[in-house]
Amino acid sequence: MTVIAETAPVSNPARWLGRILSGLVILFLMIDGAIKLVPWPVVTETMDRMGYGSSEALMRGLGAITIVCTVLYAIPPTSILGAILLTGYLGGAIASHVRIGSPLFTHTLFGLYLGLMLWGGLWLRDKNLRSLVPFRR
C-alpha cells in the first residue's frame, strides 16, 4: 500500500522567516569563510589554541570549504546538499570545542544553534524538504 503525504502550504510570513534565518546563516558562514581565506592572525592564533596549529594553508582550506558549502546551501537546487555538508562541518566544530573544554552554551553549542537555524530556515522555505520531513498535528 502506497501512502502519499501532501504537504500543507507554508504561510507567507513563515516563508519569509525561513529566508531570514537562511540569510543570517549564509551571511555568518560567508564572513567566517572569508576571514579564514585571508587568514588574519586572530584566526590562526585561535586555531593554534584549539590544537590545529597555525597553518595558513589549513585556514585557507577550511575557508574554501566553508564558502563552497555555503554557496551550495544558498542555491535552491543544491540547498539540501549544502545543508548536509554544513551539518558535518558544524559537527566538527562542536567536536573541537568539546575536545578543548570550551564553555558549553556559548562556544560548544554554537554549531548546534547555527545548525538549527540552517535546517529550520531551509524547512520553512523548501517544499521538497517539508514533504520529506513532514510534521503532523
Side-chain angles (χ1 to χ4, degrees):
M1 175 169 70
T2 303
V3 177
I4 298 174
E6 290 185 31
T7 57
V10 172
S11 67
N12 227 15
R15 183 173 288 111
W16 274 103
L17 176 62
R19 290 175 181 157
I20 291 168
L21 286 172
S22 294
L24 289 171
V25 169
I26 291 165
L27 178 66
F28 176 81
L29 290 173
M30 290 301 279
I31 291 170
D32 182 59
I35 65 171
K36 287 178 180 154
L37 286 177
V38 174
W40 289 347
V42 68
V43 176
T44 55
E45 290 167 10
T46 301
M47 291 302 288
D48 191 37
R49 280 186 304 221
M50 292 184 78
Y52 291 104
S54 58
S55 167
E56 290 186 6
L58 175 63
M59 291 307 97
R60 287 190 177 104
L62 288 174
I65 289 169
T66 305
I67 290 172
V68 167
C69 292
T70 304
V71 167
L72 288 172
Y73 175 71
I75 300 170
T78 60
S79 58
I80 292 176
L81 173 62
I84 292 167
L85 295 173
L86 286 170
T87 301
Y89 183 81
L90 294 172
I94 292 170
S96 296
H97 283 287
V98 167
R99 185 177 56 81
I100 64 167
S102 293
L104 180 66
F105 293 105
T106 56
H107 292 69
T108 303
L109 293 180
F110 185 77
L112 174 67
Y113 307 146
L114 207 55
L116 290 172
M117 288 174 60
L118 181 141
W119 281 103
L122 184 57
W123 190 85
L124 287 170
R125 67 184 173 93
D126 190 308
K127 181 181 179 183
N128 293 327
L129 184 60
R130 285 192 309 277
S131 65
L132 183 65
V133 184
F135 287 104
R136 296 196 174 106
R137 296 178 200 203

